[in-house]
Amino acid sequence: MYPQVLFQHRKPDRINTFAEYREQGGYSALSDVIAGADPAAVIATIDDAQLLGRGGAGFPAGRKLMTVAQDAPHPRYLICNADEMEPGTFKDRVLLHADPHLLIEGMAIVAYTVRARHGIIFIRPEYENAARILEREIRLAREAGFLGEKIHDSDFSFEIVVHRSGGRYICGEVTALISALEGCRPNPRKAPPYPTDKGLWQQPTVLNNVETLAYVPLIVRHGAQWFRDLALTESAAGTKLFSISGHVNKPGCYEVPLGVPLSEMIENCCGGMRDGRPFKGCLPGGASTGFLSAEHYHIPMDYESLKAVGNRLGTGAVMVFDDTTCMVAATLNLTNFFARESCGWCTPCREGFPYLKDLLYRLENGMADGDWIGQVETLCGHLYKAYCAFAPGGVAPIESLLANFGEEVQAHIDLGGCPMQRQ
Amino acid sequence: MPTLTIDNRPVTVPDGTKVITAAEQLGIMIPRFCYHPALGSVGACRVCAVGFKEGPIKGVEMSCMVDAQEGMVVATDDPDAVDLRKHVIELLMLHHPHDCPVCDEGGHCLLQDMTISGGHGRRRYAGAKRTHLDQDLGPLVQHEMNRCIQCYRCSRFYQQFCGYRDLGVTGIGTRVYFGRSEPGTLESPFSGNLTDICPTGVYTDKPSRFYGRRWDYERAPSVCIHCSLGCSLTVSARYRKAVRHEARFNAQVNGHFICDRGRYAYAYASQPERPRDALIAGRPATLAQAATQMSERLAAIEKGTGPDGIALMGSARSSLETQALLARLHSEKGWRTPCFSADDAATRVVSSALNTLNATNTIALTEIEGADTVLLVGADPIGEAPMLALALRQAQRDGSRIITVDPRPVTLPCAHDHIAVSGDDLATAVAHLIIGALEPSREIALDADQQDRFKTLKQETRDIPAAAELRAIGHALTTAWRPAFVCGTTVPDPDVPPLMGLLQALVQTSCMWSGLFFPLPGANTFGAHCLGGSDALFEPLLAAVEAGQVKALVVVENDLFSEYPDQQRLAAALESLELLVVMDCVPSAITARADIFLPTQTIYEAGGHYLNNEGRLQVATPVIAGGLSIMDTGGGNHPPREFREDIPGGTPRPAWQYVAGLATGETDPPDVKPLLDEALTAGVADGERVSLPSASREWPSIERIGAGPEGDAGGLTLIESAATFGSEPLAAFSTVLAELTPLFGVTVHSETAQRLGWRAGDRIVIPDSAPALEVVVTLDDRAAPGVLLVPRRIGIDRTALRRYMAHLLAE
Amino acid sequence: MLRPRGAFFERTIEPLELHVSEALIEKLKNEIAAVEHPRELAVDVMMALQDHHGYLSDAARDQAAELLGMSALEVDELATFYTFIFREPVGRYVIHVCDSLICWMAGEENIVDHLRQQLQIDFGQTTADGLFTLLPVCCIGYCDRAPAILVNRRVHGPLTNSRLDELLQKYRAEAAEKPGSNV
Ligand SMILES: Cc1cc2nc3c(=O)[nH]c(=O)nc-3n(C[C@H](O)[C@H](O)[C@H](O)COP(=O)(O)O)c2cc1C
Ligand code: SF4
Ligand code: FES
């Protein structure tokens, strides 16, 4: 239905094998690059493709590579972020089970562009299956000479190891992830210095999401223009993996060109709303984006369009709600997540989320009193002054609850409890 | 040097200064919890928010995280920043137990201050509070985790700053917990600083718990006299009892911190056994009676024997006032030159060390933090001068290389290279360092004479096992930019310090900065050296007593028995005296033998001047008047129902006053300042260094090094050296520190143990010891083979110990 | 909404003292020796010892510390941070019920109620027979299979009550068949 790029060779029940991947032209991009491509030219292609980071922040992948200074010290590291703990997000898992060699080849190419010697895939412990697949496939790639010492007799050497996390959402944040890899408590660190300057073990480090890295071999193979043209809207480039869950008939992970309207995605990919109930709202990009309401049902799903309505594409985890959902209760659930996962480093986040959780609990259970909305608004405002991006992410649902579902909130206050439970 | 404007006032600061520090220079104290000048900025608490109005950064940001930049306009009263600060404090108070009435921090609590000044006063949060269990952290520090505001200062201080690894942060989110894995005594000898550094009452001072509020205390600036570094303290006292030492900031000496020995050493001053009355022949007398009798009997003896028949004994723990007046007494009366230590070996090293210091090569403790290489020879910082270890840690964190050359297995809270060299070989070791520094072909202009001497040195320096390594280090020293040289003064022999001086002088020519640092045996050893002269040795004095030439001995604040090893000989000699006068503030083996005893005041009552190991003059201000604590005299009642003119137990006078009385025949206190000026420090002000001779590039005599004793391969040597706890005579009275003092033990290399048939954990009962002494054997292969290492311990039978060890050595 | 939670990690069973095999220690030592920075293996080492002991007991923590050249406290600083390292005894099967948004919308509360009823335990507790421990967990990345749970980090979903019963049955049978360890 939509052009499939990352999922082109996705099978229902197994991975695209190494042999199959090679037959499909896999590793040719790496071979070409290693044969003597100018790293700067490869980076320029990635930049030209306007590939934005798929891990949530949407930072241009090419620009990140450019920040690694020519004369930066060695060894340099490339980290693949497969932590994927943003609630609602499971695209990396599906991709790793579909076509792991896209990632392995992508990592090798990116490593080549910045002359990284060591690659690390940081993966959440729930994905033990994927971790084992990766370890096996990495071994195959190494045996075939695509990884290891002096790849293809060039002077480029690159190894990948799989690092299992102990499991915490904050470990997905770049600097916290680096702390975790160093065997420290995974608290974030403040830039500067930026990881590309002083990252893992104080060495230059590039970190990208699984999906971001997986696009790289395809971009190198088919060119920047090809990639840009995949998107439907002018400003966007490429396809995107969307993890769609909630009140739809067929939840799952779908590859869709950027810019496809939300409604179309729900209708075409997911077989429409469950039980044919009306769309009430959704989170477009995981737990740390804001709620879209029914008026946004036809919004084109790309970075710019969501930005225009004060929202974010995030990880592309679309969590869909029908009219049976109490948005206050949903927000309470999300806030519980942020309260539980806050790393405990800075005051606003560590204390603010439990406080907000308590306030939302009170609202849902008819105990909201005083200036409830005012209290929530100030708290949310101050959470933007937390240490890392965790807290601003966590307030997005709460602020959008007030902005887009203000009536429902007011109904909770006026009724002294949840109107849905009363029905 | 950017110039910025904070609250409408311009300020120019060095590059890299944080806005929070720049504001301090204008006297503006931006609220902070996680930021601490010694620990740096981490931006965790978010309470230092200010508004950035103009310049490269706009909006509300944390002033501890932003470097001051040209053209910045900062408003600390920006409404958004004020609101954020207020709410951050509200958040910090969500789980706080509000137990200020029973919290020892109350009254000097940063959290209290910030809560009031931040404007948070009304509780809105109605949810449940998270609570924690507390841990028993040992005798020094009380733990109350519920008060925690998660500023992470404690774990950062404990682990990163100090280098100890048994206290930190566990858990996540709102359940983060600061403490140990399991309850238990903190391992760091700097743990007491937690009570200073915690901005609220999580860590409070345990021994002074529930004793008073900050405003109840009489407080005064003072100096720590429990090692030679002379860290700055603030003493708190109440009910005539000194109950707390806190670190007082001193940019040259101790920075923000002090060690636990210094912090918890004060108990001697109010121990029930403290002698507070004058005694004649062991019987109570009035001060006047004792003083009169002392003068009369001394006069009588002087008449019979001449002034030579009277000897004076001071100490390294007395104030300069007391030491100076002893010197004055000598010059006035012609009595024998005062001697300040009964440990002649140490006195010799100290003399040679202090003669090596000059106006240009002496460095201060905090300067060591800036060194890029530190060489320590015969110095064990944790035992001898604990804060030196913290300075080394800071240097090492900054990338400095630390090298220890020692017969002992020196341990430091930071990475360092250790070269085990037997005690007799230390001078030879430094000679090898010098050779390494001069070879190969360094462009140092040696004149003909020096070249000759260098040749002699090379020819005559004996080979020792570590020679090659030492030469390599010596060579590396010449490429250092900021090398510091530390040399102990108890373990090395007198040849070592001048050799270190030579090494420093040679290296000086090729680096930006370098200097010498000599920890000394006692708080005022520097003063004693200046006043006593290098020839005031104890052995001749003792011999004169034994020969009947000295008939009277005046001992001021010195328990000779803890310094002089042969207790029986000393006891017999003292027995033969016609008159033994003892003045002291603590009970000891010698106070019990005094014919006339005069009780002296402690530093808390008398104050005094002290010269630290680099010759820096520092003043301790008196904090209490003296006398028994009304906690004790009241028998539990307050105030005591007894009315009299004098203060019970208030008899003691400053030691110098008694000495002055002897010198001038007056009992009224003389003005000591002129005495001091005359004796040593003409014009030196508080906090400054005494004037040392100016530098001379003279090579010390090196002939002896080559000819130095050929350490006979199988020989054993006994080294008694200072330990963190239990070695310093005053701190040894502290019961809380006694709990931390390890079992008495001997440390040896495993080879040596094998030769002696010892195994780790063996307990050796020392024959004929009183009190009975048991020694536990510890093996440590970082010790030099052949060395038997025991800590100096006040109150143990050193004669029996030495006898036993000598018998081992002889076998 | 937020249901009351039991006291977390009550000690209901005595830990089974297992001796870590020489082979495992040797393997860990080799892995540590092969990397430049031993600390980067902290999580792996804790996990390996945990798999062996069932949880990271004090003894296992100390062993991890020794292997990694860390202090016990430093290991605890990490161990207590992560979701999947247990510093208290747990049952042979640790059931993590995902309670994040999608699973909650799909009936996580019913799952929990059913498990509570079947196992007669609350969150943070272990069944009397030492088989099951019940814990809540954040989104496990299987929202397409909501409601989902993890049993010993293996995912199961979408779940219904009858599917749950089957699962419990399966694990009970497995335990009866192979008493002892879960590794
Ligand atoms: C709290 C938090 C959690 C995050 N978790 C993840 C994650 O699990 N996976 C991921 O790829 N990025 C995550 N990110 C985003 C990363 O910080 C980072 O932006 C991204 O991995 C960079 O890769 P990209 O440029 O390819 O997107 C997280 C960010 C924050 C603030
Ligand atoms: S905002 Fe603060 S407490 Fe929250 S995750 Fe980031 S650093 Fe940790
Ligand atoms: S003092 Fe600046 S954030 Fe704590």
Side-chain angles (χ1 to χ4, degrees):
Chain A
M1 182 174 16
Y2 298 112
Q4 298 294 287
V5 172
L6 293 180
F7 281 169
Q8 191 180 358
H9 302 292
R10 179 182 181 183
K11 319 253 182 318
D13 54 348
R14 62 173 179 86
I15 67 162
N16 191 31
T17 64
F18 180 55
E20 288 169 332
Y21 184 74
R22 290 201 62 190
E23 273 165 33
Q24 296 145 5
Y27 287 104
S28 61
L30 177 64
S31 302
D32 291 350
V33 163
I34 287 180
D38 175 8
V42 181
I43 294 176
T45 309
I46 296 170
D47 190 48
D48 195 24
Q50 292 167 18
L51 171 62
L52 302 186
R54 300 298 203 236
F59 189 82
R63 271 225 333 261
K64 193 184 285 180
L65 295 176
M66 286 175 196
T67 55
V68 180
Q70 285 286 326
D71 57 351
H74 290 277
R76 302 173 187 172
Y77 294 91
L78 169 66
I79 300 172
C80 165
N81 190 346
D83 196 49
E84 193 164 64
M85 284 197 56
E86 176 84 9
T89 314
F90 49 89
K91 65 184 179 71
D92 295 343
R93 185 196 89 225
V94 174
L95 177 57
L96 291 175
H97 281 90
D99 212 346
H101 287 282
L102 277 174
L103 172 64
I104 298 171
E105 186 181 2
M107 283 183 76
I109 296 172
V110 170
Y112 175 84
T113 66
V114 293
R115 293 283 152 174
R117 175 79 184 71
H118 304 284
I120 298 161
I121 300 175
F122 186 94
I123 194 164
R124 67 183 299 186
E126 292 92 327
Y127 290 180
E128 181 58 27
N129 267 347
R132 293 204 180 146
I133 290 173
L134 281 168
E135 280 173 338
R136 187 186 64 213
E137 301 305 314
I138 287 168
R139 200 176 56 238
L140 293 178
R142 188 185 304 118
E143 282 164 9
F146 294 111
L147 294 174
E149 289 296 318
K150 304 215 177 302
I151 301 172
H152 287 9
D153 294 328
S154 68
D155 61 352
F156 173 60
S157 304
F158 182 61
E159 274 296 347
I160 303 179
V161 295
V162 178
H163 180 102
R164 291 159 175 83
S165 167
R168 275 299 172 193
Y169 175 56
I170 191 63
C171 295
E173 198 279 337
V174 192
T175 55
L177 190 153
I178 289 173
S179 303
L181 278 177
E182 290 179 356
C184 297
R185 283 172 63 82
N187 293 125
R189 301 172 187 176
K190 203 81 190 167
Y194 290 90
T196 44
D197 180 14
K198 283 194 168 124
L200 184 61
W201 308 115
Q202 295 295 303
Q203 296 298 119
T205 303
V206 170
L207 184 141
N208 276 113
N209 175 254
V210 175
E211 186 188 342
T212 318
L213 292 163
Y215 279 115
V216 170
L218 301 170
I219 292 173
V220 170
R221 247 195 274 170
H222 304 294
Q225 182 67 40
W226 165 84
F227 186 75
R228 285 204 307 271
D229 289 347
L230 287 171
L232 293 193
T233 36
E234 189 56 33
S235 65
T239 57
K240 165 100 194 72
L241 301 185
F242 286 92
S243 327
I244 310 176
S245 60
H247 294 147
V248 293
N249 277 322
K250 281 192 295 172
C253 179
Y254 302 97
E255 181 172 13
V256 176
L258 279 171
V260 168
L262 173 63
S263 50
E264 220 181 286
M265 235 155 68
I266 291 176
E267 302 299 330
N268 292 351
C269 301
C270 304
M273 294 295 292
R274 203 182 55 190
D275 303 333
R277 297 200 73 100
F279 173 86
K280 179 174 183 180
C282 80
L283 287 160
S288 49
T289 57
F291 291 111
L292 293 175
S293 59
E295 68 176 288
H296 298 126
Y297 192 43
H298 301 293
I299 191 168
M301 292 293 280
D302 63 31
Y303 292 93
E304 289 302 318
S305 309
L306 281 160
K307 207 164 161 190
V309 297
N311 213 319
R312 294 189 311 117
L313 188 65
T315 61
V318 184
M319 300 148 94
V320 181
F321 316 111
D322 65 19
D323 61 341
T324 62
T325 318
C326 168
M327 299 311 278
V328 173
T331 312
L332 169 56
N333 181 290
L334 291 167
T335 309
N336 186 36
F337 167 82
F338 288 104
R340 194 191 284 165
E341 293 297 304
S342 165
C343 82
W345 176 247
C346 70
T347 310
C349 171
R350 180 188 61 241
E351 308 298 345
F353 282 115
Y355 193 162
L356 283 164
K357 178 179 121 181
D358 182 71
L359 287 172
L360 286 159
Y361 177 82
R362 280 166 198 283
L363 179 65
E364 180 67 4
N365 291 285
M367 294 182 279
D369 49 16
D371 178 18
W372 190 92
I373 294 182
Q375 248 185 94
V376 172
E377 274 173 352
T378 21
L379 259 173
C380 287
H382 291 321
L383 274 161
Y384 282 96
K385 290 296 164 195
Y387 188 82
C388 80
F390 177 104
V395 294
I398 306 175
E399 287 196 319
S400 61
L401 172 76
L402 297 182
N404 296 343
F405 296 94
E407 281 172 25
E408 196 168 325
V409 171
Q410 196 56 50
H412 277 75
I413 296 177
D414 296 343
L415 271 169
C418 179
M420 310 238 166
Q421 281 182 353
R422 304 248 165 135
Q423 280 165 12
Chain B
M1 295 278 283
T3 300
L4 66 166
T5 311
I6 304 177
D7 291 351
N8 292 329
R9 291 157 65 196
V11 59
T12 306
V13 291
D15 286 324
T17 307
K18 302 289 180 205
V19 172
I20 198 169
T21 325
E24 258 168 42
Q25 296 191 5
L26 293 170
I28 301 167
M29 166 86 170
I30 298 174
R32 79 280 307 274
F33 288 122
C34 64
Y35 170 80
H36 183 283
L39 307 181
S41 318
V42 291
C45 74
R46 317 308 275 177
V47 85
C48 65
V50 295
F52 289 81
K53 300 300 198 192
E54 300 289 341
I57 289 175
K58 291 269 173 61
V60 173
E61 282 305 329
M62 301 308 133
S63 59
C64 75
M65 295 297 279
V66 176
D67 282 342
Q69 287 165 57
E70 189 64 39
M72 276 180 165
V73 176
V74 176
T76 63
D77 60 352
D78 173 88
D80 291 339
V82 169
D83 195 58
L84 173 59
R85 298 203 297 256
K86 174 176 160 178
H87 284 98
V88 164
I89 292 161
E90 175 184 25
L91 291 172
L92 290 173
M93 293 301 289
L94 294 187
H95 304 291
H96 192 279
H98 296 95
D99 60 345
C100 308
V102 291
C103 173
D104 266 313
E105 193 78 2
H108 60 285
C109 173
L110 197 60
L111 179 60
Q112 273 183 338
D113 295 351
M114 293 300 141
T115 307
I116 298 294
S117 67
H120 165 65
R122 199 151 283 155
R123 185 175 181 76
R124 299 186 298 170
Y125 175 68
K129 282 189 185 183
R130 163 276 287 124
T131 56
H132 290 298
L133 294 176
D134 300 325
Q135 291 182 326
D136 182 348
L137 299 178
L140 307 184
V141 178
Q142 179 70 31
H143 194 223
E144 284 281 351
M145 248 312 283
N146 288 330
R147 297 173 186 149
C148 179
I149 55 164
Q150 295 87 15
C151 66
Y152 288 75
R153 273 192 195 181
C154 58
S155 60
R156 286 154 58 213
F157 168 74
Y158 200 89
Q159 295 187 1
Q160 286 157 27
F161 196 88
C162 294
Y164 289 81
R165 302 160 77 186
D166 61 313
L167 180 131
V169 48
T170 53
I172 180 172
T174 177
R175 298 187 316 281
V176 289
Y177 185 91
F178 296 82
R180 286 168 46 91
S181 267
E182 273 116 34
T185 302
L186 293 167
E187 286 166 14
S188 165
F190 306 99
S191 65
N193 292 304
L194 292 172
T195 67
D196 285 353
I197 206 162
C198 173
T200 172
V202 177
Y203 303 95
T204 51
D205 191 77
K206 201 169 197 171
S208 68
R209 201 164 180 234
F210 299 147
Y211 201 81
R213 289 281 176 222
R214 174 59 63 89
W215 58 78
D216 294 325
Y217 287 133
E218 292 155 272
R219 285 161 59 79
S222 191
V223 180
C224 177
I225 52 169
H226 306 286
C227 87
S228 67
L229 302 182
C231 297
S232 294
L233 300 179
T234 302
V235 176
S236 292
R238 191 183 192 198
Y239 302 134
R240 297 193 205 114
K241 207 175 199 169
V243 289
R244 192 167 178 197
H245 285 175
E246 285 158 276
R248 182 163 56 89
F249 179 69
N250 184 326
Q252 277 78 40
V253 183
N254 54 305
H256 291 87
F257 305 112
I258 53 173
C259 76
D260 287 351
R261 185 207 288 173
R263 183 179 294 267
Y264 296 102
Y266 50 78
Y268 69 91
S270 52
Q271 57 176 325
E273 294 77 21
R274 175 172 168 190
R276 290 181 182 269
D277 292 309
L279 302 171
I280 300 176
R283 275 194 220 97
T286 66
L287 261 193
Q289 286 167 337
T292 313
Q293 214 184 94
M294 169 173 70
S295 312
E296 287 172 3
R297 286 176 70 178
L298 285 169
I301 289 171
E302 189 176 1
K303 208 176 245 170
T305 60
D308 246 13
I310 301 175
L312 300 170
M313 190 72 214
S315 87
R317 67 172 144 99
S318 291
S319 66
L320 269 180
E321 283 86 339
T322 306
Q323 292 180 339
L325 278 155
L326 278 168
R328 176 67 173 268
L329 192 51
H330 154 69
S331 61
E332 200 106 325
K333 296 270 196 180
W335 297 350
R336 284 176 183 246
T337 320
C339 168
F340 290 96
S341 164
D343 184 349
D344 285 350
T347 304
R348 286 199 183 89
V349 195
V350 168
S351 298
S352 94
L354 296 187
N355 293 337
T356 307
L357 290 185
N358 62 45
T360 55
N361 66 7
T362 309
I363 52 171
L365 181 58
T366 45
E367 284 181 282
I368 289 183
E369 296 180 4
D372 69 352
T373 308
V374 188
L375 173 73
L376 296 97
V377 174
D380 177 16
I382 286 285
E384 297 169 359
M387 285 301 289
L388 172 58
L390 270 200
L392 294 171
R393 164 101 190 147
Q394 305 326 309
Q396 189 266 344
R397 286 174 72 202
D398 243 15
S400 171
R401 180 178 183 201
I402 317 279
I403 304 144
T404 54
V405 178
D406 211 289
R408 298 163 290 179
V410 176
T411 45
L412 291 173
C414 61
H416 64 115
D417 300 325
H418 177 67
I419 298 172
V421 166
S422 85
D424 291 339
D425 287 346
L426 282 174
T428 314
V430 183
H432 282 293
L433 288 162
I434 292 173
I435 295 168
L438 286 171
E439 260 186 352
S441 70
R442 283 205 53 230
E443 286 167 35
I444 293 176
L446 297 184
D447 59 31
D449 177 49
Q450 288 172 335
Q451 279 180 3
D452 276 353
R453 283 167 170 271
F454 177 54
K455 248 183 230 138
T456 328
L457 182 70
K458 257 177 78 175
Q459 278 161 9
E460 307 217 332
T461 302
R462 232 167 355 94
D463 198 25
I464 54 172
E469 207 179 338
L470 288 161
R471 287 188 187 201
I473 290 171
H475 185 61
L477 281 170
T478 61
T479 58
W481 279 109
R482 302 172 65 80
F485 298 84
V486 179
C487 180
T489 48
T490 49
V491 169
D493 61 52
D495 293 329
V496 181
L499 280 169
M500 286 290 274
L502 174 60
L503 179 60
Q504 185 270 338
L506 292 173
V507 170
Q508 175 91 62
T509 56
S510 65
C511 65
M512 271 167 48
W513 167 98
S514 79
L516 294 172
F517 191 83
F518 297 144
L520 302 176
N524 223 350
T525 298
F526 202 112
H529 170 79
C530 296
L531 293 161
S534 51
D535 45 20
L537 295 176
F538 185 69
E539 206 59 51
L541 192 161
L542 191 64
V545 173
E546 286 169 334
Q549 293 154 348
V550 166
K551 299 255 182 253
L553 179 62
V554 180
V555 181
V556 182
E557 298 180 320
N558 192 337
D559 171 18
L560 295 176
F561 285 92
S562 69
E563 285 193 342
Y564 192 75
D566 190 338
Q567 324 240 316
Q568 274 144 0
R569 183 174 166 207
L570 179 63
L574 295 179
E575 206 54 48
S576 72
L577 285 168
E578 261 174 46
L579 176 64
L580 174 62
V581 176
V582 177
M583 307 170 186
D584 211 343
C585 62
V586 287
S588 71
I590 198 168
T591 54
R593 292 176 154 83
D595 297 308
I596 296 175
F597 173 79
L598 291 165
T600 64
Q601 289 186 344
T602 63
I603 188 174
Y604 309 114
E605 297 137 22
H609 289 70
Y610 293 83
L611 284 177
N612 80 351
N613 68 313
E614 30 141 6
R616 190 179 299 277
L617 183 70
Q618 301 188 101
V619 188
T621 314
V623 61
I624 35 174
L628 280 169
S629 165
I630 59 172
M631 296 290 277
D632 302 332
T633 56
N637 285 327
H638 169 72
R641 301 287 187 276
E642 188 187 345
F643 301 95
R644 48 195 261 200
E645 219 166 52
D646 62 335
I647 296 172
T651 313
R653 294 283 165 271
W656 56 257
Q657 203 170 315
Y658 301 133
V659 183
L662 284 174
T664 61
E666 289 171 20
T667 44
D668 281 342
D671 184 2
V672 287
K673 198 67 184 162
L675 276 177
L676 273 183
D677 287 350
E678 168 199 331
L680 72 155
T681 59
V684 62
D686 181 19
E688 278 177 11
R689 249 185 223 141
V690 297
S691 41
L692 293 157
S694 48
S696 73
R697 183 72 64 70
E698 252 194 52
W699 284 52
S701 153
I702 50 174
E703 283 69 27
R704 301 233 319 273
I705 301 146
E710 186 81 34
D712 83 86
L716 296 172
T717 42
L718 175 70
I719 294 183
E720 283 181 279
S721 70
T724 320
F725 304 121
S727 298
E728 195 277 313
L730 296 179
F733 287 104
S734 166
T735 46
V736 289
L737 293 184
E739 282 183 53
L740 300 173
T741 310
L743 287 178
F744 191 77
V746 58
T747 306
V748 287
H749 192 283
S750 53
E751 269 172 30
T752 312
Q754 209 165 13
R755 262 175 55 205
L756 295 168
W758 290 352
R759 278 161 315 167
D762 277 0
R763 283 160 185 270
I764 301 166
V765 180
I766 303 298
D768 305 325
S769 49
L773 181 61
E774 202 180 61
V775 182
V776 187
V777 176
T778 310
L779 304 190
D780 192 330
D781 285 353
R782 296 168 69 253
V787 167
L788 308 180
L789 175 66
V790 295
R792 267 182 194 275
R793 182 70 56 87
I794 304 299
I796 62 151
D797 185 346
R798 293 171 74 209
T799 315
L801 177 69
R802 291 203 153 211
R803 203 186 308 119
Y804 179 75
M805 294 295 177
H807 137 91
L808 281 182
L809 309 186
E811 273 183 4
Chain C
M1 286 282 56
L2 294 184
R3 283 135 314 142
R5 303 242 150 113
F8 270 76
F9 308 126
E10 269 181 28
R11 261 180 219 270
T12 45
I13 49 164
E14 277 307 306
L16 202 60
E17 247 338 304
L18 292 173
H19 290 286
V20 179
S21 71
E22 290 293 322
L24 174 63
I25 295 298
E26 217 33 55
K27 178 172 163 272
L28 293 175
K29 273 190 184 155
N30 290 338
E31 282 172 14
I32 290 167
V35 298
E36 206 182 329
H37 310 278
R39 281 186 84 124
E40 74 184 41
L41 294 181
V43 171
D44 299 282
V45 170
M46 288 191 290
M47 285 283 195
L49 293 174
Q50 165 164 298
D51 285 346
H52 213 93
H53 290 252
Y55 73 107
L56 195 73
S57 63
D58 289 356
R61 185 240 2 239
D62 294 344
Q63 191 153 36
E66 199 188 313
L67 285 166
L68 294 160
M70 296 165 74
S71 72
L73 179 266
E74 286 169 330
V75 174
D76 264 333
E77 287 188 319
L78 302 180
T80 56
F81 194 96
Y82 291 114
T83 308
F84 289 98
I85 293 174
F86 313 123
R87 283 287 284 113
E88 298 279 332
V90 289
R92 177 163 167 180
Y93 301 104
V94 178
I95 304 180
H96 274 111
V97 184
C98 173
D99 65 359
S100 286
L101 190 53
I102 299 301
C103 286
W104 167 73
M105 279 165 36
E108 166 255 352
E109 295 184 335
N110 299 336
I111 301 270
V112 172
D113 287 343
H114 190 70
L115 282 172
R116 277 206 190 118
Q117 216 170 45
Q118 292 300 306
L119 301 174
Q120 288 297 305
I121 51 170
D122 210 330
F123 275 132
Q125 296 179 335
T126 300
T127 51
D129 57 8
L131 276 191
F132 298 101
T133 297
L134 189 60
L135 293 171
V137 72
C138 292
C139 179
I140 54 178
Y142 287 88
C143 313
D144 50 344
R145 294 205 229 155
I149 65 170
L150 296 172
V151 181
N152 288 353
R153 273 188 281 149
R154 266 256 186 61
V155 71
H156 301 276
L159 289 173
T160 56
N161 286 355
S162 58
R163 178 84 187 95
L164 265 182
D165 290 339
E166 280 167 34
L167 262 181
L168 294 181
Q169 208 40 54
K170 186 189 121 196
Y171 287 119
R172 284 198 172 109
E174 183 184 276
E177 204 173 294
K178 282 190 285 174
S181 91
N182 53 350
V183 278

